[in-house]
Amino acid sequence: MWSLCFLFSLSDLILVFASSAKHLCPPDQRDTLWEFKSEFSVQELDSSWWESDLKTERWRNNTDCCSWDGISCDSKTGTVVELDLWDSSLNGPLRSNSSLFRLQHLQSLNLSSNNLPGILPYSIGNLKYLRVLKLRYCNFFGKIPSSLGNLSYLTDLDLSVNQFSGELPDSMGNLNRLSELQLRYNNLGGNFPSVLLNLSELTQISLSYNKFKGMLPSNMSSLTNLEYLDINGNLFYGPLPSPLFMIPSLIQLNLEGNSFSGPIEIKNISSPSNLEVLSLGENNFDAPIQGSLSKLAGLRTLELNYMNTRIMVDLSFLSHLKSLSYLDLSGNDLKFSSTLRLPYLGFLYLSSCNIVEFPKFLQSQTRLLLLDISVNQIEGKVPEWFWRLEISRVNISQNYIRGFDGSADVIQRTGGVVTLDISSNAFREPFPLLPNSTNYLFGSDNLFSGEIPRTICDLVYLDRLVLSNNNFSGSIPPCLSTYLSVLHLRNNSISSVIPEDFISNMLISLDLGYNRLSGGLPKSLINCTRLQFLNVEENRISDTFPFWLRVLPNLEILVLRSNEFHGPISSFSLPKLRIFDISRNKFTGVLQSDFFAGWGAMSLPVVYFEGDSQYRFSGVGKPYYHASVALTNKGSNMKLVGSGFTIYKTIDISGNRFQGGIPESIGLLKELIVLNMSNNAFTGRIPPSLSNITSLQSLDLSQNQLSGKIPPEIGKLTFLAWMNFSYNRLEGPIPQGTQIQSHNISSFAEYPELCGVPLQKTCGGGEGAINQEQEDEDEEKDQVLSWTAAAIAYLPSVFCGFTLGHILTSYRHDWFMRI
């Protein structure tokens, strides 16, 4: 046995000892799990997740499925009772005859955060012992199957963030044990589901961001155990539903983002009320707030943002809410009286309230942790007394503030600021001295000039620095390349070269676009293994293509546009790349036929996870910022900001000196939205594989040397709203398709040999011409088949690389990936 120590790692030893114990997993359960695994494309990824064939075989010999991660079994019978495959890279529909439904003893099933596009099978109702069912973020669509009503033991149901539509099935009224129901972010509709009113065990209901409508039922108080109700972002209307306030167990109530109207008046209320969180914002209430709201003495959070102006006339009721800590009055036209007294708050949001000066009542808010008074009309300077409050998170952005009262170190002396957002104001020098506690500093869109102050290097806890759209000059302080996760210095007048010593593995986003930087792109960026966003557009950088970037597993956006990059580009793999812009440089050479084969993210559909874009490029929580990129789309320049990073998948290699044919592998990028290859020297035919890019909306192949016919298959691209084939050597008929025929003739300019709508020239030719055209099409299809066969062999390894980093850091689902 000791000799095994020299053959296996410690983890392998554990596996060997475990396999020698009594197997709890019956063979039929193990085989069913194997079969379920084989139903998804994840089976093609296995080989890259093992270090050797020997190790693979040892995993296969571990027949006790109860020891596999994510699996729990009954201690007596060995039957599988829990299956947790959250975020396991499953890809493909859940079949109605799936082997999953043979696991009859399952009590808990979690398939959340997988790509399972399709209808949730009726067979789900066969798992009659389920107590927990979580299918969040799975891309399911269609109606919720009525068979869910068969799951009479169910206590926790989560179908959030899918595309379910229609009304809830009446059969859900049979779920008498149901305690938690999560249906947010779907397309469900109809009136409030009356079937829920009979489920007396319900403690949590989330129906937010659907299409429910109508008035809430008058007997909502029948939900006697309800603690949490969220119907935010629907189409409910009518008066404030007072019966809800009669539920003694209710703790959180979110009615925000609907069309409730009338007075905010609570006629009946349970005594004592346990309500702690109340959100009424973004409704149509049309009368001043009544004093009955002050009866909610235990209220800790109150959101009255973006309400009708008339209801905010009198804020005196707030003084009665002694427990209140979080108050959001944003989006209202507020007039603060000199006698206003607020309870001691921790979080106060007064954004977009037409405030013209710093509210004086703030002087008594000595417990304030966060203040947001952004997007107002505050002029002058920040008063010196303000910093004595020692607020840790301050957002005063988008005002007309021009400086700070007091000495240069007035903020530094407080020592409490963690987040400071002064962006979009009129600040000038001197740049404020900040305390060492500063973690986030946002100062973009001001009037700062001169060199970036070296005092920033003293902020040892600084994590995010955004100083874009100012007039800073000089060089980038080397210290900024060592510890930040976000560094944005876009649109300044910074010259010199980019620092060579990027050593931080924390860097996520780097935007140095629109400056005067020269030299090369520092290779030390390979240390930044978390880098997702890299933008150096519109500079004077002279370098060859940075192939070493392929070692960055998380890079999603790469913009080298409008520089002096040069030389050829060979094939490389960046599996998460979604935006690739190298336009207006001096790249040369021929793109290999497999050039696009390693770009897996552009082949897969967008799965939007709530908060993704804000986390990736905006930081976490308020205040946040957005990265931006200038793109050419549909022939026009546009600025991509915020959620566009999640949605857009673009390639722009225009304005270079590429030659040879357009790589057939372009057809692998089925989810590409914008493709611009104009202003190069591409030759040969337009590849028919372009027709595989079914999401394509904008295509520009103009000003090349392409010849032959435009592939007729392109006429089937129904989303293609803009295209440009002008200034090439194309001939023959223009493909038939409404989106093509509706284009201006300028899209086909300088084509004497083209014919058909929208051109005036009609197409002629006899049988011989037709036969020749058919032969050409057959030849092109053979080429496509040849390339597809090669791609099938290549793509699994690409996808393996895409997920390898995840596996090295997470072992939640090892059994699923290794068996």
Side-chain angles (χ1 to χ4, degrees), residues 164 172 229 304 520 522 527 539 544 555 641 646 677 701:
F164 288 113
M172 288 186 65
L229 176 63
L304 299 173
N527 298 310
N539 278 286
T544 56
L555 191 62
V641 179
T646 303
M677 308 180 83
L701 301 179

mmCIF file of all heavy atoms in Angstrom, residues 164 172 229 304 520 522 527 539 544 555 641 646 677 701:
data_model
loop_
_atom_site.group_PDB
_atom_site.id
_atom_site.type_symbol
_atom_site.label_atom_id
_atom_site.label_comp_id
_atom_site.label_asym_id
_atom_site.label_seq_id
_atom_site.Cartn_x
_atom_site.Cartn_y
_atom_site.Cartn_z
ATOM 1 N N PHE A 164 -40.180 31.666 -19.041
ATOM 2 C CA PHE A 164 -41.508 31.084 -18.909
ATOM 3 C C PHE A 164 -42.573 32.136 -19.217
ATOM 4 O O PHE A 164 -42.417 33.314 -18.874
ATOM 5 C CB PHE A 164 -41.721 30.533 -17.503
ATOM 6 C CG PHE A 164 -40.937 29.273 -17.219
ATOM 7 C CD1 PHE A 164 -39.917 29.273 -16.286
ATOM 8 C CD2 PHE A 164 -41.213 28.099 -17.892
ATOM 9 C CE1 PHE A 164 -39.186 28.131 -16.013
ATOM 10 C CE2 PHE A 164 -40.492 26.945 -17.638
ATOM 11 C CZ PHE A 164 -39.476 26.958 -16.701
ATOM 12 N N MET A 172 -50.911 24.140 -9.408
ATOM 13 C CA MET A 172 -49.975 24.555 -8.365
ATOM 14 C C MET A 172 -50.697 24.789 -7.043
ATOM 15 O O MET A 172 -50.068 24.878 -5.994
ATOM 16 C CB MET A 172 -49.219 25.807 -8.798
ATOM 17 C CG MET A 172 -48.198 25.536 -9.892
ATOM 18 S SD MET A 172 -47.159 26.959 -10.304
ATOM 19 C CE MET A 172 -46.245 27.181 -8.788
ATOM 20 N N LEU A 229 -42.842 39.354 0.299
ATOM 21 C CA LEU A 229 -43.608 39.457 -0.944
ATOM 22 C C LEU A 229 -42.944 40.492 -1.834
ATOM 23 O O LEU A 229 -42.796 41.657 -1.457
ATOM 24 C CB LEU A 229 -45.061 39.854 -0.676
ATOM 25 C CG LEU A 229 -45.921 40.088 -1.940
ATOM 26 C CD1 LEU A 229 -46.049 38.806 -2.748
ATOM 27 C CD2 LEU A 229 -47.304 40.624 -1.561
ATOM 28 N N LEU A 304 -39.201 55.294 -1.402
ATOM 29 C CA LEU A 304 -40.269 56.098 -1.999
ATOM 30 C C LEU A 304 -39.713 56.827 -3.231
ATOM 31 O O LEU A 304 -40.088 57.959 -3.516
ATOM 32 C CB LEU A 304 -40.805 57.112 -0.988
ATOM 33 C CG LEU A 304 -41.429 56.534 0.293
ATOM 34 C CD1 LEU A 304 -41.761 57.647 1.278
ATOM 35 C CD2 LEU A 304 -42.686 55.735 -0.035
ATOM 36 N N GLY A 520 5.245 50.135 -26.895
ATOM 37 C CA GLY A 520 4.542 48.875 -27.087
ATOM 38 C C GLY A 520 3.578 48.579 -25.961
ATOM 39 O O GLY A 520 3.489 49.309 -24.968
ATOM 40 N N PRO A 522 2.762 46.536 -22.835
ATOM 41 C CA PRO A 522 3.663 45.838 -21.895
ATOM 42 C C PRO A 522 3.308 44.360 -21.730
ATOM 43 O O PRO A 522 2.164 44.017 -21.441
ATOM 44 C CB PRO A 522 3.474 46.609 -20.582
ATOM 45 C CG PRO A 522 2.143 47.270 -20.713
ATOM 46 C CD PRO A 522 1.974 47.580 -22.166
ATOM 47 N N ASN A 527 0.656 38.905 -16.327
ATOM 48 C CA ASN A 527 0.480 38.653 -14.892
ATOM 49 C C ASN A 527 -0.948 38.899 -14.435
ATOM 50 O O ASN A 527 -1.347 38.455 -13.353
ATOM 51 C CB ASN A 527 1.419 39.543 -14.076
ATOM 52 C CG ASN A 527 2.883 39.268 -14.366
ATOM 53 O OD1 ASN A 527 3.315 38.123 -14.350
ATOM 54 N ND2 ASN A 527 3.645 40.321 -14.640
ATOM 55 N N ASN A 539 -4.490 55.635 -29.758
ATOM 56 C CA ASN A 539 -3.218 56.080 -29.217
ATOM 57 C C ASN A 539 -2.176 56.019 -30.334
ATOM 58 O O ASN A 539 -2.529 56.021 -31.526
ATOM 59 C CB ASN A 539 -2.809 55.213 -28.023
ATOM 60 C CG ASN A 539 -3.479 55.638 -26.732
ATOM 61 O OD1 ASN A 539 -3.124 56.666 -26.152
ATOM 62 N ND2 ASN A 539 -4.468 54.865 -26.274
ATOM 63 N N THR A 544 3.705 44.644 -32.523
ATOM 64 C CA THR A 544 3.070 43.536 -33.218
ATOM 65 C C THR A 544 1.886 43.048 -32.386
ATOM 66 O O THR A 544 1.689 43.482 -31.234
ATOM 67 C CB THR A 544 4.070 42.387 -33.423
ATOM 68 O OG1 THR A 544 4.611 42.009 -32.146
ATOM 69 C CG2 THR A 544 5.202 42.820 -34.347
ATOM 70 N N LEU A 555 -10.195 37.098 -20.524
ATOM 71 C CA LEU A 555 -10.287 38.272 -21.388
ATOM 72 C C LEU A 555 -11.520 38.189 -22.285
ATOM 73 O O LEU A 555 -11.682 37.246 -23.050
ATOM 74 C CB LEU A 555 -9.023 38.411 -22.237
ATOM 75 C CG LEU A 555 -8.879 39.728 -22.988
ATOM 76 C CD1 LEU A 555 -8.798 40.909 -22.015
ATOM 77 C CD2 LEU A 555 -7.649 39.724 -23.886
ATOM 78 N N VAL A 641 -21.874 51.153 -23.872
ATOM 79 C CA VAL A 641 -21.723 51.392 -22.435
ATOM 80 C C VAL A 641 -22.606 50.413 -21.679
ATOM 81 O O VAL A 641 -23.686 50.050 -22.136
ATOM 82 C CB VAL A 641 -22.130 52.842 -22.072
ATOM 83 C CG1 VAL A 641 -21.984 53.072 -20.573
ATOM 84 C CG2 VAL A 641 -21.281 53.845 -22.832
ATOM 85 N N THR A 646 -22.648 42.934 -22.231
ATOM 86 C CA THR A 646 -23.201 41.602 -22.078
ATOM 87 C C THR A 646 -23.870 41.137 -23.351
ATOM 88 O O THR A 646 -23.819 39.968 -23.708
ATOM 89 C CB THR A 646 -24.227 41.585 -20.920
ATOM 90 O OG1 THR A 646 -23.581 42.035 -19.735
ATOM 91 C CG2 THR A 646 -24.767 40.199 -20.696
ATOM 92 N N MET A 677 -15.169 43.702 -41.883
ATOM 93 C CA MET A 677 -13.893 43.311 -42.475
ATOM 94 C C MET A 677 -13.549 44.222 -43.644
ATOM 95 O O MET A 677 -12.765 43.854 -44.525
ATOM 96 C CB MET A 677 -13.955 41.843 -42.920
ATOM 97 C CG MET A 677 -14.433 40.896 -41.840
ATOM 98 S SD MET A 677 -14.520 39.159 -42.349
ATOM 99 C CE MET A 677 -12.822 38.660 -42.101
ATOM 100 N N LEU A 701 -18.330 44.146 -45.766
ATOM 101 C CA LEU A 701 -17.224 43.545 -46.505
ATOM 102 C C LEU A 701 -16.739 44.474 -47.612
ATOM 103 O O LEU A 701 -16.042 44.038 -48.531
ATOM 104 C CB LEU A 701 -17.662 42.206 -47.110
ATOM 105 C CG LEU A 701 -18.153 41.125 -46.142
ATOM 106 C CD1 LEU A 701 -18.561 39.875 -46.911
ATOM 107 C CD2 LEU A 701 -17.080 40.786 -45.121
#
